[in-house]
Amino acid sequence: MSVPFSGTIGRSRGIVDAIHKQLRLLNLKPVGRIAIKFDPFGSKASETRNFLFHITLPKVRETNPECVIKTEILSDRSDPNVEFKLRNGEKVIFKAGNLTTLELLQLYNKHITPLAPPPEEASIAIVTKASKTKGSRRK
Amino acid sequence: MSSLTQALLQVRWQPSIQFVRYRRINIQKPRPPHYVRKLVLHVCEPQYEKPKKSIQELCLRPVFLTKKQKVEENPFQTLLARDLVNWCEKSNCIYIFQQNSITGPDIFKAKVLFKRQQMALQKYDRPTMEEAFSSNDKYKALLPLIVGSPLSLAFGSEPQVSTVLKICRKVPELILLAGIFDNRLLSRSEMMEYTYFPNLQTAQAQLVSVLNSAATQLVQNMNQHQQTLVGHLEKHVELKSEDK
């Protein structure tokens, strides 16, 4: 008896691809300050350290250069913790002890990225040849 | 008439040769055929039946079976690992940083800042570090740090935590995680405490004075009663001599 076909055409493209997909969606605009606390010798710190690495990528930082990212290195073997201070005064805390990097990014994109204001569309006034010539004539 | 036909039949037919081709035959990159011809050729291509797969092969294979084989030993990596261990053995102070995404020119500037303080900033990849530290008992404690994002190490001869922290402020991509001072692994808070310590000779002198103080105190306490008795007796002798 074989296992019935589950409906997926192929296998998933892997965790790295999933992380990159989340990074493309990431937007730091609603955040004013990010504080990442972890103990490097703690057993659960590696995922948070990866999250720190991903959130400080230049492409992500470009979304909001004013956002301050602070890291606090603890030495008490406590669970890692990520704190976001939003611009609207709210505070979001991710207790990252049992979360993977991908889950952290997904949670960010679920709860914080939607708060970002819609991108402003640059209104470009259409300059036609005729209007240009008219303006020059008036002079 | 018959003679004419006979004469005609007897004439030998001679084919006329005319050279049409004046270039080499194009074999390597032949002209694509006409569309209709191409269709016909495509239709006429023989189709062979593929060998049927067994039901086990058709099902999705579990991931652990499709995992890659272990990578063979890399001699260059072994060389780098040995180099890393040599650096660690040579230097009294090792600072361990997490290195976030940084451009080439920026990391060069950081290296210059470290070089000015007689330190060397170096980056090794994870497998090299694992190879170097897992084989050496002294540095096995560093293995939990290696998991995850990339690390870079700064090697120096003297502890200069405050200077290193100043450099870290200039290069925010480098995050100080831990350090090894005099073959002792210190966390970041312990390193900060280490900065307030005096140097080794002063600390030794302080220890000697503390150890001596107990002995001197004991001698003082032991002598105190005798000395007071002697003092009283002297006073008594003085008083007696005045009375006479």
Side-chain angles (χ1 to χ4, degrees):
Chain A
M1 183 76 186
S2 66
V3 181
F5 188 63
S6 65
T8 51
I9 296 165
R11 264 189 225 114
S12 107
R13 281 156 73 191
I15 186 113
V16 176
D17 197 68
I19 286 173
H20 276 269
K21 190 183 165 190
Q22 294 300 325
L23 284 175
R24 262 177 263 136
L25 300 171
L26 209 71
N27 196 337
L28 294 181
K29 269 200 186 109
V31 190
R33 187 188 171 90
I34 304 172
I36 300 174
K37 294 175 192 171
F38 64 89
D39 178 12
F41 289 101
S43 54
K44 296 167 178 173
S46 66
E47 297 292 335
T48 314
R49 278 176 57 196
N50 276 334
F51 175 73
L52 169 65
F53 177 82
H54 288 303
I55 215 159
T56 49
L57 285 171
K59 270 203 171 179
V60 178
R61 294 297 298 271
E62 269 174 27
T63 55
N64 183 10
E66 288 168 15
C67 176
V68 182
I69 298 175
K70 282 272 170 191
T71 47
E72 201 175 313
I73 310 296
L74 307 170
S75 310
D76 51 359
R77 306 290 182 275
S78 57
D79 280 358
N81 183 3
V82 187
E83 195 178 294
F84 300 94
K85 272 187 186 169
L86 304 187
R87 280 183 168 181
N88 55 14
E90 285 178 25
K91 199 193 275 184
V92 181
I93 299 173
F94 289 171
K95 290 182 178 173
N98 296 317
L99 296 173
T100 62
T101 313
L102 179 63
E103 282 166 347
L104 281 168
L105 290 168
Q106 279 171 341
L107 283 170
Y108 183 93
N109 280 333
K110 190 182 172 190
H111 296 290
I112 302 174
T113 306
L115 302 175
E120 288 172 21
E121 285 179 17
S123 55
I124 304 159
I126 301 161
V127 184
T128 54
K129 249 187 183 178
S131 64
K132 264 187 184 178
T133 46
K134 271 180 193 173
S136 61
R137 269 176 203 167
R138 271 175 205 166
K139 280 178 187 174
Chain B
M1 187 64 190
S2 63
S3 64
L4 184 70
T5 49
Q6 256 185 347
L8 275 171
L9 284 169
Q10 275 173 359
V11 171
R12 285 181 72 189
W13 181 71
Q14 281 184 331
S16 63
I17 299 163
Q18 191 180 4
F19 293 97
V20 176
R21 194 172 296 280
Y22 59 94
R23 279 181 191 164
R24 281 196 300 147
I25 306 162
N26 184 5
I27 298 168
Q28 285 181 343
K29 203 177 174 184
R31 187 171 55 86
H34 185 262
Y35 181 66
V36 180
R37 184 181 172 155
K38 207 165 130 183
L39 281 179
V40 172
L41 283 171
H42 185 73
V43 168
C44 295
E45 262 179 14
Q47 300 275 332
Y48 299 106
E49 196 182 1
K50 283 179 186 171
K52 275 187 181 174
K53 279 184 180 177
S54 61
I55 195 80
Q56 287 94 337
E57 280 174 275
L58 281 169
C59 288
L60 289 172
R61 296 189 79 199
V63 177
F64 65 86
L65 285 176
T66 52
K67 260 190 178 174
K68 282 178 188 172
Q69 293 281 315
K70 209 184 174 188
V71 188
E72 282 179 26
E73 196 182 317
N74 186 350
F76 182 58
Q77 189 180 298
T78 322
L79 202 76
L80 286 173
R82 215 184 302 152
D83 180 53
L84 171 58
V85 172
N86 279 343
W87 266 105
C88 293
E89 296 288 341
K90 254 198 314 187
S91 43
N92 278 333
C93 299
I94 307 165
Y95 305 89
I96 301 154
F97 301 96
Q98 170 167 339
Q99 188 179 316
N100 288 337
S101 178
I102 186 168
T103 56
D106 286 351
I107 197 70
F108 179 75
K109 278 177 196 167
K111 277 182 181 177
V112 169
L113 289 173
F114 277 102
K115 184 87 179 167
R116 279 183 193 155
Q117 305 296 332
Q118 279 82 46
M119 283 189 270
L121 183 72
Q122 296 201 348
K123 196 189 171 191
Y124 293 92
D125 59 342
R126 195 158 51 89
T128 313
M129 280 188 172
E130 265 172 17
E131 194 178 329
F133 295 147
S134 58
S135 57
N136 199 326
D137 284 341
K138 208 163 139 188
Y139 302 111
K140 258 187 185 169
L142 286 177
L143 287 173
L145 286 180
I146 294 166
V147 189
S149 42
L151 290 180
S152 56
L153 306 173
F155 302 97
S157 53
E158 285 174 18
Q160 299 167 297
V161 181
S162 49
T163 354
V164 169
L165 287 173
K166 269 180 201 167
I167 295 172
C168 280
R169 237 169 276 151
K170 281 181 191 169
V171 191
E173 286 87 355
L174 291 176
I175 299 159
L176 185 64
L177 298 179
I180 302 173
F181 291 169
D182 300 325
N183 297 327
R184 201 170 280 270
L185 182 65
L186 303 178
S187 68
R188 182 157 162 153
S189 59
E190 284 168 338
M191 280 167 80
M192 303 294 276
E193 282 170 22
Y194 194 92
T195 51
Y196 302 119
F197 290 165
N199 64 351
L200 191 65
Q201 285 171 338
T202 326
Q204 280 170 343
Q206 277 177 353
L207 180 69
V208 167
S209 68
V210 165
L211 288 173
N212 280 342
S213 68
T216 48
Q217 188 112 34
L218 182 71
V219 169
Q220 208 180 345
N221 289 343
M222 298 283 277
N223 286 342
Q224 198 180 4
H225 295 293
Q226 286 90 326
Q227 274 174 351
T228 46
L229 183 66
V230 168
H232 287 310
L233 286 171
E234 276 177 356
K235 207 85 178 167
H236 187 70
V237 169
E238 271 179 30
L239 285 170
K240 283 279 177 188
S241 59
E242 278 174 12
D243 288 346
K244 279 174 186 176

